[in-house]
Amino acid sequence: MRRIISILMENEPGALSRVVGLFSQRGYNIETLTVAPTEDRTLSRLTLTTLGDDRQIERITKNLNKLIEVVKLVDLTEGPHIERELMLCKVKATGAQRAEVKRTVDIFRGQIVDVTSSVYTVQLAGTSDKLDAFVGTIGDAQVLEVVRTGVSGISRGEKVLSI
Amino acid sequence: MEKLSGAEMLVRALQDEGVEIIFGYPGGAVLHIYDALFQQDKVQHILVRHEQAATHAADGYSRATGKPGVVLVTSGPGATNAVTGIATAYMDSIPMVVLSGQVRSDWIGDDAFQETDMVGICRPIVKHSFSVRKPEDIPEMMKKAFYIATTGRPGPVLVDIPKDQTSPLVKVPYEYPKKVKMRSYSPVARGHSGQIRKAVDEMLKARRPVIYAGGGVILGDGSEYLTKLAKLLNFPVTNTLMGLGAYPGSDPQFLGMLGMHGTYEANMVMHSSDLIVAVGARFDDRVTNHAEKFCPGATVIHVDVDPASISKNVRADVPIVGPVRQVLEEMVSMIEESPDRPDAKALERWWDEIKGWREYHGLRYEVNDGGPMKPQQVVQALYKATKGDAYVTSDVGQHQMFAAQFYKFDQPRRWINSGGLGTMGFGLPSAIGVQFAFPDAMVACVTGEGSIQMNIQELSTCLQYGLPIKVININNQALGMVRQWQDMQYGGRHSQSYMDSLPDFVRLAESYGHVGIRVDRIEDLDEAMEKAFSLKDRLVFMDIYVDPSEHVYPMHIADGSMRDMWLSKTERT
């Protein structure tokens, strides 16, 4: 099962490599990974998605918690949450396709952020499924390049992950 | 405020931590630190002959005393040589602080002479690591290093120090922090009382209970309360390889070690139990045999300071995360206050059954009449000569298992061996650490002709510091444990498990300035042991030739349950 684990950790050199190392060393796979400092510059927020059953996820979270630099963590998929991923995508836009691409972008509520005579650069945010669906709709033949940030997430309601 | 260089701060921090002794080997990147060491006399530096030995010696010192071991090595090969020792300490949760030199900060990443990414190499085998980026950070970093190494589940901590950070030309104010507070690290201080109550309820209604105690009881200083708990309830106790000495080895309630080479009765008791009280143990694969067939009828109480150990291999019915000493103490006082006791009749029947198992096997082995000595006899002779009062370090292999089975440890911190990593070459250097901690104690290193040669150069260190260690070399002219597996699982094809061209260990010991004694016949064994231990100020290397064909039994049958064992070459359960 796909899980989103969100980690608050010390913003120190080496901290990221310890988190990533823990996964590779135990043979777990990281599907996506995104990390940046928080409003408190001494802390970083790291969000990763991984696949595993309950037992594997329990082991992963226990071992992540053991890392000295990890302050707190939460498995967002345990409760209601919001997840978003940002995608930048270059799409071939010539002839009749130009209007069709524009319509599709509108339907997905994306934005065209750069234009040339033959290419649209599209920015799209949403769940990973939505981004997949967009790429699927446009079709491989039209898509020139895709860049995705990986999932970022936060829990719904009043629950916060902070110190 | 006093101003010190980085090198001086490192040495002063060691003093302020109360460190009396460190083990190391100098080199280019740490010369400033060695110079600072030279100019003081509070911290004694022990010069080993190989950095691996420095880590094992610090490790042995720590296991015997409970204090953190400290190591100082240079960058590059000095640091990489220390890696095996760091991994050894990590696997057995030994508190250790390793100071490794590094090339100048502005050369890092340039493939400079003797540069290696030590922080990167050590990442999976340390509890934490630090890299010095400015000398001002050194006092706090050192404080944190010792705090992390010694609290919670202990472990090695690496401090990597680029040479420029220790320069005598840069002096900064020094103040050693009194306290350390880390928002990201706070080991559990107490076990949950509700869970402890649940565990006590389970213990009071158990009819076929067993206490299974591991190295965590020794590290967590819990032996006293473990013994009280067992006595109060009249429960049988088994120890893991790492836990030997946590419960008195000669006590009648003690079943011996459990697991792959555990006693018949310990493994039978575990398999047949209705309650397992696991304390400071981690259900290692060498204990459980096949985890899915492990003790089918047992409720499991699991006490451990590390939440990640709980329900890792075997699901715990009553998990308790907390320091073993505090949890055991609370269990004891709850039971003392309770009017209830376990069913005495049921326990009596349980003990009758245990007695039957004890009589059935009880670590029996065949003695060769007039033939070569058996390795078990050597350990028994050692036990006799030292009256069970020695510190025994060991290497890895058959001799380690024989020592664990036949030397009865009545106190914690007396049995010092590499259980988790299984590091050959651990025995002699760790004995060095123990002998420094207790200069007047009897220290025996039980080893084999394979293991001893992995760090034999340390005989030179022993001469330099006049360490009267007794090396008990159980010489079967083969890599015994490998050979045993080859006998049992590879049709007796002894691929590379023999040693041709063994040195004359007696003359080797003598060339290092020690006493060597060779023993070939059982008739001479006791006298030779007596003689060795009567030489109180000399290292004695006893080269004792034993039967190469002997196997360690009992032995778990792979992928079976706890009760599936070979009991000799021809009998199985």
Side-chain angles (χ1 to χ4, degrees):
Chain A
M1 193 187 152
R2 174 174 170 275
R3 305 295 187 109
I4 306 173
I5 297 172
S6 196
I7 303 171
L8 203 58
M9 62 185 195
E10 298 289 353
N11 182 11
E12 279 170 7
L16 178 62
S17 75
R18 273 187 259 268
V19 170
V20 174
L22 192 144
F23 277 78
S24 60
Q25 161 191 349
R26 288 167 196 270
Y28 302 128
N29 199 20
I30 296 177
E31 300 277 313
T32 72
L33 174 78
T34 161
V35 59
T38 65
E39 78 286 2
D40 171 354
R41 303 291 299 179
T42 65
L43 288 170
S44 284
R45 180 77 176 248
L46 183 153
T47 313
L48 61 84
T49 56
T50 183
L51 296 172
D53 57 27
D54 287 348
R55 190 157 169 263
Q56 285 168 329
I57 298 298
E58 186 184 333
R59 286 184 68 172
I60 289 174
T61 53
K62 276 179 169 176
N63 282 299
L64 283 169
N65 263 317
K66 264 177 86 170
L67 295 177
I68 304 293
E69 282 136 335
V70 169
V71 183
K72 272 185 183 175
L73 66 85
V74 63
D75 176 357
L76 289 174
T77 24
E78 272 184 349
H81 63 279
I82 300 159
E83 59 171 281
R84 290 289 180 272
E85 194 177 351
L86 180 76
M87 175 169 73
L88 294 171
C89 177
K90 279 194 178 165
V91 182
K92 219 187 279 174
T94 47
Q97 288 300 322
R98 213 164 160 88
E100 180 58 28
V101 169
K102 175 75 174 68
R103 268 198 298 278
T104 310
V105 171
D106 289 342
I107 290 166
F108 279 87
R109 281 185 242 164
Q111 287 168 289
I112 295 170
V113 290
D114 190 38
V115 182
T116 72
S117 57
S118 60
V119 170
Y120 282 154
T121 301
V122 179
Q123 169 189 307
L124 187 61
T127 61
S128 306
D129 288 351
K130 177 179 160 182
L131 307 191
D132 292 343
F134 176 79
V135 174
T137 307
I138 294 289
D140 284 349
Q142 302 291 110
V143 172
L144 298 168
E145 185 181 358
V146 170
V147 187
R148 295 168 69 152
T149 57
V151 173
S152 192
I154 199 161
S155 44
R156 283 193 183 272
E158 288 171 16
K159 214 167 114 189
V160 291
L161 182 66
S162 68
I163 51 167
Chain B
M1 212 185 295
E2 195 180 3
K3 287 191 156 186
L4 300 177
S5 73
E8 289 165 338
M9 287 198 286
L10 286 164
V11 175
R12 182 67 78 79
L14 294 177
Q15 294 175 358
D16 287 338
E17 278 295 330
V19 174
E20 291 164 357
I21 191 166
I22 67 173
F23 302 87
Y25 204 102
V30 286
L31 283 177
H32 296 323
I33 306 173
Y34 270 87
D35 197 45
L37 273 173
F38 188 82
Q39 299 178 48
Q40 56 87 54
D41 56 8
K42 285 193 183 135
V43 180
Q44 187 190 4
H45 177 275
I46 306 306
L47 178 68
V48 294
R49 298 298 178 268
H50 186 287
E51 289 87 352
Q52 184 189 348
T55 48
H56 291 330
D59 182 323
Y61 175 85
S62 176
R63 290 179 203 236
T65 61
K67 298 179 200 166
V70 182
V71 178
L72 174 58
V73 293
T74 192
S75 65
T80 54
N81 277 348
V83 167
T84 300
I86 297 172
T88 304
Y90 182 72
M91 287 294 276
D92 290 342
S93 308
I94 305 303
M96 180 184 285
V97 174
V98 180
L99 310 177
S100 60
Q102 183 54 275
V103 299
R104 289 166 37 173
S105 305
D106 58 334
W107 286 359
I108 289 178
D110 290 354
D111 302 330
F113 176 65
Q114 293 195 330
E115 179 188 354
T116 192
D117 173 12
M118 188 59 176
V119 168
I121 287 174
C122 286
R123 192 182 37 68
I125 54 163
V126 292
K127 188 168 169 190
H128 196 56
S129 50
F130 293 98
S131 188
V132 177
R133 290 196 156 68
K134 51 182 196 294
E136 292 87 332
D137 294 343
I138 288 174
E140 198 190 330
M141 218 171 245
M142 289 292 280
K143 183 79 191 173
K144 281 183 179 169
F146 277 92
Y147 174 65
I148 292 168
T150 54
T151 51
R153 180 176 180 175
V157 174
L158 175 79
V159 183
D160 200 45
I161 313 151
K163 188 171 185 183
D164 52 316
Q165 307 296 337
T166 57
S167 164
L169 302 176
V170 184
K171 302 233 178 191
V172 295
Y174 173 86
E175 187 180 17
Y176 201 62
K178 288 200 174 56
K179 270 197 191 150
V180 56
K181 186 141 178 50
M182 297 174 70
R183 61 184 172 185
S184 59
Y185 174 70
S186 51
V188 192
R190 297 188 63 79
H192 189 278
S193 285
Q195 290 294 95
I196 298 176
R197 163 64 60 195
K198 246 193 241 172
V200 166
D201 290 345
E202 291 291 344
M203 286 190 250
L204 291 175
K205 63 177 205 230
R207 301 173 70 81
R208 304 162 70 83
V210 59
I211 297 175
Y212 148 50
V217 176
I218 294 173
L219 292 165
D221 205 11
S223 302
E224 181 195 341
Y225 290 103
L226 178 79
T227 309
K228 271 194 186 163
L229 182 73
K231 290 285 164 196
L232 198 57
L233 295 168
N234 189 28
F235 282 6
V237 183
T238 177
N239 283 157
T240 66
L241 177 66
M242 292 307 299
L244 293 173
Y247 188 83
S250 54
D251 185 273
Q253 273 169 251
F254 187 58
L255 306 172
M257 178 170 77
L258 82 169
M260 180 175 275
H261 292 297
T263 62
Y264 175 70
E265 64 260 34
N267 287 342
M268 291 304 285
V269 164
M270 286 291 288
H271 187 84
S272 320
S273 65
D274 67 354
L275 177 71
I276 293 170
V277 185
V279 190
R282 58 186 177 93
F283 296 86
D284 181 81
D285 56 77
R286 300 286 125 152
V287 162
T288 59
N289 210 359
H290 198 299
E292 273 163 31
K293 297 176 191 162
F294 177 76
C295 304
T299 299
V300 175
I301 297 169
H302 192 179
V303 183
D304 204 293
V305 75
D306 178 8
S309 277
I310 288 176
S311 295
K312 183 177 69 177
N313 299 338
V314 169
R315 181 140 196 93
D317 299 295
V318 186
I320 303 174
V321 180
V324 290
R325 184 184 168 89
Q326 176 266 326
V327 172
L328 288 168
E329 189 181 356
E330 198 167 323
M331 283 176 174
V332 167
S333 58
M334 269 185 201
I335 294 165
E336 277 172 343
E337 282 161 24
S338 164
D340 303 329
R341 284 293 175 271
D343 185 337
K345 279 256 162 56
L347 272 182
E348 200 178 311
R349 276 197 299 276
W350 183 224
W351 274 112
D352 279 345
E353 209 170 335
I354 295 170
K355 206 173 140 222
W357 287 325
R358 244 179 210 168
E359 281 161 6
Y360 181 68
H361 189 266
L363 291 180
R364 69 180 137 82
Y365 63 92
E366 308 251 326
V367 171
N368 290 326
D369 246 352
M373 234 181 293
K374 284 296 181 83
Q376 295 94 324
Q377 293 176 296
V378 178
V379 177
Q380 287 177 316
L382 172 68
Y383 185 71
K384 202 166 117 194
T386 56
K387 302 182 177 61
D389 195 31
Y391 287 83
V392 178
T393 74
S394 141
D395 269 303
V396 171
Q398 285 186 323
H399 64 269
Q400 178 189 25
M401 293 301 121
F402 289 131
Q405 290 177 335
F406 288 92
Y407 201 102
K408 311 286 174 217
F409 295 93
D410 281 336
Q411 293 173 65
R413 303 196 176 281
R414 292 300 183 103
W415 165 241
I416 286 153
N417 84 128
S418 166
L421 196 68
T423 308
M424 290 171 72
F426 176 80
L428 180 58
S430 63
I432 291 176
V434 177
Q435 192 79 75
F436 271 113
F438 300 104
D440 300 325
M442 286 183 281
V443 180
C445 165
V446 175
T447 183
E449 82 294 332
S451 286
I452 191 68
Q453 291 191 85
M454 286 211 187
N455 264 320
I456 197 149
Q457 77 286 346
E458 296 309 312
L459 286 174
S460 172
T461 308
C462 295
L463 179 68
Q464 180 168 345
Y465 296 97
L467 304 176
I469 294 162
K470 307 299 178 253
V471 178
I472 315 297
N473 187 36
I474 301 182
N475 189 340
N476 61 357
Q477 310 103 64
L479 302 178
M481 193 57 95
V482 173
R483 184 184 158 115
Q484 174 168 345
W485 283 56
Q486 289 170 339
D487 282 340
M488 296 173 77
Q489 294 170 25
Y490 296 89
R493 294 182 296 279
H494 296 156
S495 177
Q496 302 299 315
S497 60
Y498 60 93
M499 289 238 168
D500 251 346
S501 312
L502 284 176
D504 178 339
F505 286 108
V506 170
R507 281 167 62 198
L508 182 73
E510 285 168 358
S511 83
Y512 275 111
H514 303 302
V515 178
I517 300 175
R518 176 170 167 148
V519 185
D520 292 280
R521 302 183 315 155
I522 185 71
E523 302 85 82
D524 304 330
L525 182 60
D526 282 335
E527 201 188 320
M529 281 278 180
E530 292 293 339
K531 186 182 166 205
F533 281 93
S534 71
L535 296 171
K536 299 233 178 276
D537 54 354
R538 298 296 297 277
L539 183 147
V540 182
F541 193 113
M542 298 188 71
D543 188 20
I544 306 170
Y545 276 70
V546 298
D547 186 347
S549 69
E550 184 61 341
H551 288 179
V552 184
Y553 292 109
M555 180 173 177
H556 267 157
I557 296 166
D559 293 326
S561 70
M562 285 290 285
R563 70 172 168 189
D564 298 320
M565 291 170 265
W566 285 102
L567 299 175
S568 73
K569 283 182 186 172
T570 50
E571 292 164 90
R572 50 177 292 175
T573 52

